[in-house]
Amino acid sequence: MSKYGFSFSLSRLLGIAQAKQKFARTTGIPTTKSGMQRKIGASILKMFFK
């Protein structure tokens, strides 16, 4: 479906993506797997090297 620059996302259509972004910005808690890993990794490093 990604032919000629066209893509479709059900979560964007239903507003799920926007709700997750708003939640993440408001609370400071990332909603993606990579975001969580970065935040946890930074917290661990901060504990050891602070």
Side-chain angles (χ1 to χ4, degrees):
M1 239 192 164
S2 63
K3 197 172 188 181
Y4 304 115
F6 177 76
S7 64
F8 177 78
S9 173
L10 187 60
S11 69
R12 284 181 61 94
L13 179 69
L14 298 176
I16 296 170
Q18 185 178 8
K20 285 172 69 174
Q21 284 178 349
K22 189 174 183 180
F23 172 79
R25 285 190 187 123
T26 306
T27 61
I29 302 169
T31 54
T32 61
K33 183 179 178 181
S34 62
M36 280 295 250
Q37 288 174 346
R38 272 195 323 249
K39 191 163 182 96
I40 292 169
S43 299
I44 291 171
L45 287 175
K46 191 183 278 187
M47 281 190 324
F48 286 119
F49 297 111
K50 188 172 182 187

